[in-house]
Amino acid sequence: MKHLKIDHLGIAVPGLDAAVAAYEALGFAVEARHDVPTEKVRTAFLPVGESHLELLEPTDPSSPIARFLEKRSGLHHVCVLVDDVDAALADMKARGVPLVDETPRVGAGGCRVAFVHPKGAAGVLLELKERERGDETPRAEG
């Protein structure tokens, strides 16, 4: 399993518009926004060098982000790009790493993603995002 680079840092926020305004005041600019109905969130991606900040606002009280915000705020997950998310999951599963997802799901912008349980990543929720085949450019999609 080859980790290429950090794609984005996911930050849980109670209000996307207010968070975007705060980051814009710091000099950031929104590159893309996505609604992800399957995860019950709205997102905004802000480029930082080759990576992004992903601001995540829950759209439903039952969403994972809403549950996260009930207990804490701030950094929710770290996303790394991998060449093949299926191979990465199989390798981690074979090594006994606890997974949230044993098969990929569709993330923001239609990319393939899967999550590693914090118990398997030193206390951090880790998202694996598959790099689009033939695309060497980082994408703010998931």
Side-chain angles (χ1 to χ4, degrees):
M1 171 177 56
K2 181 179 175 185
H3 297 291
L4 302 172
K5 63 178 73 172
I6 292 176
D7 183 74
H8 66 266
L9 302 175
I11 301 170
V13 300
L16 190 60
D17 293 335
V20 164
Y23 277 90
E24 286 177 334
L26 295 170
F28 290 87
V30 173
E31 181 178 272
R33 288 180 182 249
H34 298 282
D35 286 318
V36 189
T38 57
E39 298 301 315
K40 302 175 186 167
V41 296
R42 290 186 323 136
T43 68
F45 285 88
L46 299 85
V48 181
E50 291 185 356
S51 298
H52 292 82
L53 298 180
E54 177 190 28
L55 305 178
L56 301 120
E57 173 192 51
T59 58
D60 186 279
S62 68
S63 77
I65 297 300
R67 291 193 308 271
F68 178 86
L69 286 169
E70 288 173 2
K71 299 175 190 161
R72 65 193 76 80
S73 62
L75 186 65
H76 179 261
H77 66 273
V78 173
C79 177
V80 295
L81 288 173
V82 297
D83 290 324
D84 182 335
V85 72
D86 295 295
L89 288 171
D91 182 49
M92 290 182 152
K93 186 175 181 180
R95 295 171 187 253
V97 175
L99 304 173
V100 173
D101 300 308
E102 292 197 9
T103 58
R105 61 172 98 171
V106 177
C111 59
R112 297 178 75 225
V113 303
F115 287 87
V116 177
H117 196 281
K119 291 179 183 176
V124 175
L125 180 62
L126 184 65
E127 179 181 7
L128 307 177
K129 177 180 172 184
E130 186 171 272
R131 178 185 292 279
E132 290 186 23
R133 306 254 191 273
D135 183 3
E136 296 303 316
T137 312
R139 297 179 146 317
E141 295 182 1

